[in-house]
Amino acid sequence: MRVLRPALASVLCASALLAAITAVNARKPAPGFTLKDAKGATVRLSDYKGKIVLLNFWATWCGPCKTEIPWFMEFANTYKARGLAVLGVSMDEDGWKAVTPYVEERKINYPIVVGDEPLAQLYGGLDSLPTTLLIDRDGKIAAAHVGLVAKNDYESEIKILLDSK
């Protein structure tokens, strides 16, 4: 087994992260949607144009989702002033009946909407939860992750996108 020196390892990790972010000219637009939040207010993905959006498809019964949500709450607080918006789309079949108590109990600090099968199909079908997209300021998908991803990986990608002009 070959052991990398720390400096070389960090360069390789940074290179892998850059590879996870799609090149600007190859990014595809994120499909638009209009949904209602728990209070009945309209939430449109297009309302977030000009911001970096962390769009997380999740469910109350999903173990990895429960791990990621506190990270996303932290990111929402830490990077809001720099232009990050976090948006959660619950895919719970029971809709608001399941989602409202979950959101209230955990004091989730970012907007939550409830999605459905047509929305999942807009995004190519959601084979697994969580599925998280990072959307650039132009409304294009810069990175997509299925399953649990390391907090540091998300944060590094967010910083790269926030720093890009």
mmCIF file of all heavy atoms in Angstrom, residues 57-89:
data_model
loop_
_atom_site.group_PDB
_atom_site.id
_atom_site.type_symbol
_atom_site.label_atom_id
_atom_site.label_comp_id
_atom_site.label_asym_id
_atom_site.label_seq_id
_atom_site.Cartn_x
_atom_site.Cartn_y
_atom_site.Cartn_z
ATOM 1 N N PHE A 57 -33.254 16.626 -2.231
ATOM 2 C CA PHE A 57 -34.425 15.766 -2.226
ATOM 3 C C PHE A 57 -34.234 14.767 -1.092
ATOM 4 O O PHE A 57 -33.214 14.066 -1.049
ATOM 5 C CB PHE A 57 -34.560 15.035 -3.570
ATOM 6 C CG PHE A 57 -34.859 15.952 -4.723
ATOM 7 C CD1 PHE A 57 -33.826 16.507 -5.465
ATOM 8 C CD2 PHE A 57 -36.169 16.267 -5.054
ATOM 9 C CE1 PHE A 57 -34.089 17.359 -6.536
ATOM 10 C CE2 PHE A 57 -36.440 17.122 -6.124
ATOM 11 C CZ PHE A 57 -35.409 17.670 -6.864
ATOM 12 N N TRP A 58 -35.197 14.689 -0.179
ATOM 13 C CA TRP A 58 -35.041 13.921 1.039
ATOM 14 C C TRP A 58 -36.389 13.364 1.485
ATOM 15 O O TRP A 58 -37.417 13.637 0.869
ATOM 16 C CB TRP A 58 -34.446 14.801 2.141
ATOM 17 C CG TRP A 58 -35.358 15.927 2.537
ATOM 18 C CD1 TRP A 58 -35.585 17.090 1.852
ATOM 19 C CD2 TRP A 58 -36.211 15.982 3.682
ATOM 20 N NE1 TRP A 58 -36.518 17.858 2.510
ATOM 21 C CE2 TRP A 58 -36.923 17.202 3.634
ATOM 22 C CE3 TRP A 58 -36.438 15.107 4.733
ATOM 23 C CZ2 TRP A 58 -37.843 17.567 4.610
ATOM 24 C CZ3 TRP A 58 -37.358 15.478 5.717
ATOM 25 C CH2 TRP A 58 -38.037 16.711 5.649
ATOM 26 N N ALA A 59 -36.388 12.611 2.580
ATOM 27 C CA ALA A 59 -37.621 12.111 3.200
ATOM 28 C C ALA A 59 -37.393 11.938 4.697
ATOM 29 O O ALA A 59 -36.260 11.726 5.142
ATOM 30 C CB ALA A 59 -38.039 10.784 2.573
ATOM 31 N N THR A 60 -38.467 12.006 5.450
ATOM 32 C CA THR A 60 -38.367 11.919 6.913
ATOM 33 C C THR A 60 -37.877 10.551 7.370
ATOM 34 O O THR A 60 -37.289 10.426 8.442
ATOM 35 C CB THR A 60 -39.723 12.209 7.577
ATOM 36 O OG1 THR A 60 -40.697 11.279 7.077
ATOM 37 C CG2 THR A 60 -40.189 13.629 7.294
ATOM 38 N N TRP A 61 -38.105 9.511 6.591
ATOM 39 C CA TRP A 61 -37.721 8.143 6.951
ATOM 40 C C TRP A 61 -36.300 7.777 6.508
ATOM 41 O O TRP A 61 -35.810 6.699 6.810
ATOM 42 C CB TRP A 61 -38.708 7.133 6.337
ATOM 43 C CG TRP A 61 -38.975 7.386 4.886
ATOM 44 C CD1 TRP A 61 -40.057 8.047 4.363
ATOM 45 C CD2 TRP A 61 -38.160 7.019 3.777
ATOM 46 N NE1 TRP A 61 -39.958 8.106 2.983
ATOM 47 C CE2 TRP A 61 -38.800 7.484 2.593
ATOM 48 C CE3 TRP A 61 -36.956 6.350 3.643
ATOM 49 C CZ2 TRP A 61 -38.275 7.289 1.327
ATOM 50 C CZ3 TRP A 61 -36.425 6.166 2.369
ATOM 51 C CH2 TRP A 61 -37.089 6.633 1.232
ATOM 52 N N CYS A 62 -35.642 8.676 5.821
ATOM 53 C CA CYS A 62 -34.328 8.413 5.212
ATOM 54 C C CYS A 62 -33.200 8.679 6.211
ATOM 55 O O CYS A 62 -32.985 9.823 6.624
ATOM 56 C CB CYS A 62 -34.198 9.302 3.973
ATOM 57 S SG CYS A 62 -32.546 9.436 3.287
ATOM 58 N N GLY A 63 -32.470 7.621 6.587
ATOM 59 C CA GLY A 63 -31.367 7.754 7.546
ATOM 60 C C GLY A 63 -30.282 8.724 7.114
ATOM 61 O O GLY A 63 -29.919 9.631 7.873
ATOM 62 N N PRO A 64 -29.722 8.566 5.907
ATOM 63 C CA PRO A 64 -28.682 9.500 5.465
ATOM 64 C C PRO A 64 -29.186 10.947 5.391
ATOM 65 O O PRO A 64 -28.431 11.882 5.639
ATOM 66 C CB PRO A 64 -28.282 8.979 4.087
ATOM 67 C CG PRO A 64 -28.650 7.530 4.104
ATOM 68 C CD PRO A 64 -29.867 7.440 4.976
ATOM 69 N N CYS A 65 -30.470 11.116 5.076
ATOM 70 C CA CYS A 65 -31.047 12.468 5.032
ATOM 71 C C CYS A 65 -30.977 13.115 6.418
ATOM 72 O O CYS A 65 -30.668 14.300 6.544
ATOM 73 C CB CYS A 65 -32.501 12.424 4.557
ATOM 74 S SG CYS A 65 -32.745 11.691 2.929
ATOM 75 N N LYS A 66 -31.262 12.318 7.438
ATOM 76 C CA LYS A 66 -31.218 12.817 8.814
ATOM 77 C C LYS A 66 -29.809 13.258 9.196
ATOM 78 O O LYS A 66 -29.641 14.165 10.009
ATOM 79 C CB LYS A 66 -31.719 11.747 9.782
ATOM 80 C CG LYS A 66 -33.187 11.428 9.614
ATOM 81 C CD LYS A 66 -33.604 10.275 10.505
ATOM 82 C CE LYS A 66 -35.062 9.912 10.239
ATOM 83 N NZ LYS A 66 -35.496 8.775 11.050
ATOM 84 N N THR A 67 -28.815 12.628 8.603
ATOM 85 C CA THR A 67 -27.422 13.012 8.857
ATOM 86 C C THR A 67 -27.102 14.337 8.173
ATOM 87 O O THR A 67 -26.446 15.204 8.756
ATOM 88 C CB THR A 67 -26.469 11.906 8.345
ATOM 89 O OG1 THR A 67 -26.750 10.697 9.061
ATOM 90 C CG2 THR A 67 -25.014 12.291 8.539
ATOM 91 N N GLU A 68 -27.555 14.496 6.935
ATOM 92 C CA GLU A 68 -27.192 15.674 6.149
ATOM 93 C C GLU A 68 -27.930 16.952 6.541
ATOM 94 O O GLU A 68 -27.365 18.044 6.438
ATOM 95 C CB GLU A 68 -27.460 15.414 4.658
ATOM 96 C CG GLU A 68 -26.535 14.427 4.023
ATOM 97 C CD GLU A 68 -26.799 14.238 2.543
ATOM 98 O OE1 GLU A 68 -27.919 14.537 2.073
ATOM 99 O OE2 GLU A 68 -25.879 13.797 1.841
ATOM 100 N N ILE A 69 -29.168 16.842 6.970
ATOM 101 C CA ILE A 69 -29.977 18.036 7.235
ATOM 102 C C ILE A 69 -29.294 19.014 8.201
ATOM 103 O O ILE A 69 -29.268 20.217 7.917
ATOM 104 C CB ILE A 69 -31.407 17.654 7.670
ATOM 105 C CG1 ILE A 69 -32.179 17.153 6.436
ATOM 106 C CG2 ILE A 69 -32.130 18.815 8.340
ATOM 107 C CD1 ILE A 69 -33.534 16.542 6.740
ATOM 108 N N PRO A 70 -28.717 18.577 9.326
ATOM 109 C CA PRO A 70 -28.023 19.547 10.187
ATOM 110 C C PRO A 70 -26.862 20.256 9.474
ATOM 111 O O PRO A 70 -26.603 21.434 9.727
ATOM 112 C CB PRO A 70 -27.521 18.701 11.361
ATOM 113 C CG PRO A 70 -28.441 17.517 11.388
ATOM 114 C CD PRO A 70 -28.786 17.248 9.941
ATOM 115 N N TRP A 71 -26.173 19.556 8.571
ATOM 116 C CA TRP A 71 -25.093 20.191 7.807
ATOM 117 C C TRP A 71 -25.680 21.288 6.933
ATOM 118 O O TRP A 71 -25.120 22.382 6.843
ATOM 119 C CB TRP A 71 -24.384 19.193 6.906
ATOM 120 C CG TRP A 71 -23.813 17.995 7.551
ATOM 121 C CD1 TRP A 71 -23.545 17.799 8.886
ATOM 122 C CD2 TRP A 71 -23.430 16.794 6.888
ATOM 123 N NE1 TRP A 71 -23.012 16.547 9.069
ATOM 124 C CE2 TRP A 71 -22.927 15.913 7.866
ATOM 125 C CE3 TRP A 71 -23.462 16.388 5.557
ATOM 126 C CZ2 TRP A 71 -22.455 14.644 7.549
ATOM 127 C CZ3 TRP A 71 -22.988 15.121 5.242
ATOM 128 C CH2 TRP A 71 -22.491 14.266 6.232
ATOM 129 N N PHE A 72 -26.791 20.982 6.275
ATOM 130 C CA PHE A 72 -27.405 21.951 5.369
ATOM 131 C C PHE A 72 -27.917 23.167 6.141
ATOM 132 O O PHE A 72 -27.852 24.294 5.654
ATOM 133 C CB PHE A 72 -28.513 21.299 4.548
ATOM 134 C CG PHE A 72 -28.037 20.165 3.659
ATOM 135 C CD1 PHE A 72 -28.926 19.227 3.183
ATOM 136 C CD2 PHE A 72 -26.697 20.032 3.304
ATOM 137 C CE1 PHE A 72 -28.509 18.184 2.363
ATOM 138 C CE2 PHE A 72 -26.257 18.986 2.492
ATOM 139 C CZ PHE A 72 -27.173 18.066 2.018
ATOM 140 N N MET A 73 -28.401 22.930 7.364
ATOM 141 C CA MET A 73 -28.813 24.050 8.223
ATOM 142 C C MET A 73 -27.615 24.942 8.538
ATOM 143 O O MET A 73 -27.715 26.169 8.496
ATOM 144 C CB MET A 73 -29.464 23.516 9.503
ATOM 145 C CG MET A 73 -30.796 22.841 9.252
ATOM 146 S SD MET A 73 -31.454 21.937 10.680
ATOM 147 C CE MET A 73 -31.580 23.228 11.899
ATOM 148 N N GLU A 74 -26.484 24.304 8.831
ATOM 149 C CA GLU A 74 -25.257 25.054 9.116
ATOM 150 C C GLU A 74 -24.808 25.844 7.875
ATOM 151 O O GLU A 74 -24.459 27.017 7.968
ATOM 152 C CB GLU A 74 -24.163 24.084 9.557
ATOM 153 C CG GLU A 74 -22.856 24.740 9.932
ATOM 154 C CD GLU A 74 -21.806 23.712 10.318
ATOM 155 O OE1 GLU A 74 -22.146 22.684 10.939
ATOM 156 O OE2 GLU A 74 -20.625 23.962 9.987
ATOM 157 N N PHE A 75 -24.824 25.194 6.707
ATOM 158 C CA PHE A 75 -24.438 25.881 5.466
ATOM 159 C C PHE A 75 -25.361 27.075 5.209
ATOM 160 O O PHE A 75 -24.905 28.135 4.788
ATOM 161 C CB PHE A 75 -24.505 24.936 4.259
ATOM 162 C CG PHE A 75 -23.563 23.767 4.303
ATOM 163 C CD1 PHE A 75 -23.853 22.627 3.576
ATOM 164 C CD2 PHE A 75 -22.392 23.778 5.058
ATOM 165 C CE1 PHE A 75 -22.998 21.525 3.580
ATOM 166 C CE2 PHE A 75 -21.531 22.687 5.080
ATOM 167 C CZ PHE A 75 -21.844 21.555 4.338
ATOM 168 N N ALA A 76 -26.661 26.896 5.455
ATOM 169 C CA ALA A 76 -27.618 27.987 5.235
ATOM 170 C C ALA A 76 -27.246 29.202 6.077
ATOM 171 O O ALA A 76 -27.296 30.339 5.604
ATOM 172 C CB ALA A 76 -29.042 27.521 5.554
ATOM 173 N N ASN A 77 -26.859 28.958 7.324
ATOM 174 C CA ASN A 77 -26.447 30.060 8.201
ATOM 175 C C ASN A 77 -25.111 30.662 7.783
ATOM 176 O O ASN A 77 -24.962 31.875 7.712
ATOM 177 C CB ASN A 77 -26.325 29.581 9.655
ATOM 178 C CG ASN A 77 -27.658 29.428 10.327
ATOM 179 O OD1 ASN A 77 -28.635 30.063 9.957
ATOM 180 N ND2 ASN A 77 -27.710 28.557 11.312
ATOM 181 N N THR A 78 -24.149 29.805 7.525
ATOM 182 C CA THR A 78 -22.779 30.248 7.272
ATOM 183 C C THR A 78 -22.621 30.990 5.947
ATOM 184 O O THR A 78 -21.887 31.969 5.870
ATOM 185 C CB THR A 78 -21.821 29.030 7.300
ATOM 186 O OG1 THR A 78 -21.946 28.389 8.568
ATOM 187 C CG2 THR A 78 -20.377 29.456 7.080
ATOM 188 N N TYR A 79 -23.303 30.524 4.906
ATOM 189 C CA TYR A 79 -23.034 31.043 3.556
ATOM 190 C C TYR A 79 -24.168 31.868 2.940
ATOM 191 O O TYR A 79 -24.061 32.297 1.797
ATOM 192 C CB TYR A 79 -22.667 29.882 2.618
ATOM 193 C CG TYR A 79 -21.417 29.170 3.068
ATOM 194 C CD1 TYR A 79 -21.476 27.893 3.611
ATOM 195 C CD2 TYR A 79 -20.175 29.789 2.995
ATOM 196 C CE1 TYR A 79 -20.339 27.244 4.047
ATOM 197 C CE2 TYR A 79 -19.026 29.149 3.445
ATOM 198 C CZ TYR A 79 -19.117 27.879 3.959
ATOM 199 O OH TYR A 79 -17.982 27.238 4.402
ATOM 200 N N LYS A 80 -25.214 32.110 3.700
ATOM 201 C CA LYS A 80 -26.339 32.892 3.168
ATOM 202 C C LYS A 80 -25.887 34.260 2.668
ATOM 203 O O LYS A 80 -26.257 34.690 1.574
ATOM 204 C CB LYS A 80 -27.421 33.063 4.244
ATOM 205 C CG LYS A 80 -28.621 33.827 3.758
ATOM 206 C CD LYS A 80 -29.683 33.960 4.828
ATOM 207 C CE LYS A 80 -30.891 34.679 4.286
ATOM 208 N NZ LYS A 80 -31.967 34.751 5.275
ATOM 209 N N ALA A 81 -25.076 34.936 3.450
ATOM 210 C CA ALA A 81 -24.632 36.289 3.080
ATOM 211 C C ALA A 81 -23.782 36.289 1.807
ATOM 212 O O ALA A 81 -23.686 37.308 1.123
ATOM 213 C CB ALA A 81 -23.855 36.924 4.225
ATOM 214 N N ARG A 82 -23.182 35.149 1.483
ATOM 215 C CA ARG A 82 -22.354 35.051 0.272
ATOM 216 C C ARG A 82 -23.148 34.591 -0.947
ATOM 217 O O ARG A 82 -22.605 34.485 -2.035
ATOM 218 C CB ARG A 82 -21.183 34.100 0.521
ATOM 219 C CG ARG A 82 -20.178 34.695 1.515
ATOM 220 C CD ARG A 82 -18.939 33.870 1.668
ATOM 221 N NE ARG A 82 -18.267 33.605 0.407
ATOM 222 C CZ ARG A 82 -17.361 32.641 0.239
ATOM 223 N NH1 ARG A 82 -17.039 31.861 1.252
ATOM 224 N NH2 ARG A 82 -16.794 32.460 -0.933
ATOM 225 N N GLY A 83 -24.447 34.289 -0.718
ATOM 226 C CA GLY A 83 -25.279 33.947 -1.868
ATOM 227 C C GLY A 83 -25.708 32.505 -1.964
ATOM 228 O O GLY A 83 -26.169 32.062 -3.017
ATOM 229 N N LEU A 84 -25.611 31.730 -0.869
ATOM 230 C CA LEU A 84 -26.086 30.346 -0.893
ATOM 231 C C LEU A 84 -27.527 30.295 -0.419
ATOM 232 O O LEU A 84 -27.884 30.923 0.577
ATOM 233 C CB LEU A 84 -25.241 29.453 0.020
ATOM 234 C CG LEU A 84 -25.738 28.001 0.123
ATOM 235 C CD1 LEU A 84 -25.484 27.242 -1.189
ATOM 236 C CD2 LEU A 84 -25.086 27.279 1.291
ATOM 237 N N ALA A 85 -28.333 29.544 -1.132
ATOM 238 C CA ALA A 85 -29.695 29.243 -0.695
ATOM 239 C C ALA A 85 -29.828 27.730 -0.617
ATOM 240 O O ALA A 85 -29.409 27.017 -1.532
ATOM 241 C CB ALA A 85 -30.708 29.806 -1.677
ATOM 242 N N VAL A 86 -30.382 27.253 0.480
ATOM 243 C CA VAL A 86 -30.646 25.823 0.640
ATOM 244 C C VAL A 86 -32.149 25.639 0.506
ATOM 245 O O VAL A 86 -32.934 26.386 1.089
ATOM 246 C CB VAL A 86 -30.152 25.308 2.015
ATOM 247 C CG1 VAL A 86 -30.478 23.831 2.185
ATOM 248 C CG2 VAL A 86 -28.651 25.558 2.174
ATOM 249 N N LEU A 87 -32.533 24.637 -0.277
ATOM 250 C CA LEU A 87 -33.946 24.352 -0.501
ATOM 251 C C LEU A 87 -34.150 22.847 -0.387
ATOM 252 O O LEU A 87 -33.484 22.073 -1.088
ATOM 253 C CB LEU A 87 -34.377 24.853 -1.880
ATOM 254 C CG LEU A 87 -35.816 24.612 -2.306
ATOM 255 C CD1 LEU A 87 -36.799 25.258 -1.330
ATOM 256 C CD2 LEU A 87 -36.035 25.169 -3.707
ATOM 257 N N GLY A 88 -35.035 22.424 0.499
ATOM 258 C CA GLY A 88 -35.316 21.013 0.694
ATOM 259 C C GLY A 88 -36.616 20.621 0.029
ATOM 260 O O GLY A 88 -37.616 21.336 0.138
ATOM 261 N N VAL A 89 -36.605 19.484 -0.660
ATOM 262 C CA VAL A 89 -37.805 18.946 -1.293
ATOM 263 C C VAL A 89 -38.068 17.576 -0.672
ATOM 264 O O VAL A 89 -37.359 16.615 -0.956
ATOM 265 C CB VAL A 89 -37.649 18.805 -2.824
ATOM 266 C CG1 VAL A 89 -38.933 18.241 -3.433
ATOM 267 C CG2 VAL A 89 -37.285 20.140 -3.467
#
